[in-house]
Amino acid sequence: MLRYLYADELHKFPKLAEGMFRDRADQFKTRLGWDVHVNEKGEERDQYDDLNPLYVIWEEPDGSHGGSMRILPTTGPVMVTDVFGHLTGGQPIRSPLIWEVTRFCLSRGASPHTAGAIMLSGGEVMEGFGLTHIAGVFDARMIRIYRLIGSSPIVLGSEGTGRDQISVGLWPYSAEDCNRVAERAGIPRELSRLWFRTAFGPTARHRFALSA
């Protein structure tokens, strides 16, 4: 199932949280060779994890971490502006209607529908909170994954070549895309919406302070 948890709620699910940060270390440091910090617990964390972001986590039936991503509003500190702003044509992405998604991570043992489920959560967040776009930073290997899932971004800019290419992109909200991703992930939209409503209530209230 999908869980939507703010950083200050992770202590309620210690196994899930520990698995997420360790799988991030495994994916980004071990497998991809990124220049990221891994702490003494074997967890990959950065300064954006200190901003009480929203995490979307796929929880496997045994309670372990299957995959996850991190969400922050672009009205505050975000990677697309702070680190990769030079890839957006000199125009910072900053709007209460655009949130950033980073650290898209899959565990080595993730079930086949996990990536699609996590992408579907992005659609639920946009629909539920009235967002127009999701912004993200991604490497070259993700282009094919996004295409297979059924939701490809509008690429704003890229640097590097081949497998080392890094891009910034925007996903506009699309009900059609949400339904297509749900179908390919094998998750009924009503079930996905139920997970979202369970986390945020029928009026879908988030805890971010949005000031453009």
Side-chain angles (χ1 to χ4, degrees):
M1 68 173 292
L2 283 171
R3 289 196 182 274
Y4 298 80
L5 300 168
Y6 289 95
D8 62 8
E9 298 175 311
L10 290 177
H11 69 278
K12 301 175 184 176
F13 301 90
K15 179 180 179 180
L16 205 56
E18 180 180 302
M20 175 178 68
F21 291 118
R22 287 189 172 182
D23 283 338
R24 276 172 41 172
D26 180 53
Q27 176 171 310
F28 299 122
K29 184 75 169 181
T30 305
R31 286 185 273 163
L32 296 178
W34 287 11
D35 183 18
V36 294
H37 175 70
V38 176
N39 65 22
E40 66 281 357
K41 297 179 181 179
E43 301 174 337
E44 187 277 313
R45 297 175 182 257
D46 64 17
Q47 66 270 34
Y48 299 98
D49 293 302
D50 297 329
L51 301 177
N52 202 32
L54 174 65
Y55 299 99
V56 182
I57 305 174
W58 178 261
E59 182 179 1
E60 298 288 0
D62 64 356
S64 64
H65 169 262
S68 55
M69 66 183 185
R70 179 179 66 195
I71 302 176
L72 282 166
T74 60
T75 51
V78 286
M79 294 183 73
V80 292
T81 298
D82 304 342
V83 182
F84 299 100
H86 59 288
L87 298 181
T88 61
Q91 296 295 322
I93 298 173
R94 185 170 288 113
S95 167
L97 301 180
I98 303 176
W99 292 3
E100 178 193 72
V101 164
T102 54
R103 291 304 194 256
F104 190 106
C105 171
L106 297 174
S107 73
R108 290 185 185 240
S111 43
H113 57 261
T114 303
I118 296 170
M119 284 296 293
L120 177 57
S121 74
E124 300 296 359
V125 166
M126 283 194 279
E127 181 178 276
F129 295 135
L131 308 182
T132 59
H133 296 80
I134 286 288
V137 179
F138 47 91
D139 57 40
R141 72 192 172 88
M142 292 301 298
I143 298 291
R144 176 177 173 272
I145 294 174
Y146 293 145
R147 191 180 302 120
L148 290 173
I149 290 171
S151 181
S152 297
I154 301 166
V155 177
L156 302 180
S158 303
E159 65 180 4
T161 58
R163 294 182 62 183
D164 295 327
Q165 186 178 70
I166 297 292
S167 302
V168 172
L170 287 174
W171 284 261
Y173 171 71
S174 165
E176 182 180 345
D177 278 4
C178 288
N179 292 332
R180 181 170 53 251
V181 171
E183 182 178 355
R184 292 187 183 181
I187 298 174
R189 272 309 297 282
E190 200 47 51
L191 178 58
S192 178
R193 288 186 174 117
L194 174 62
W195 290 331
F196 183 86
R197 290 195 301 268
T198 299
F200 301 105
T203 58
R205 295 187 177 185
H206 61 76
R207 291 167 47 195
F208 291 136
L210 304 181
S211 55

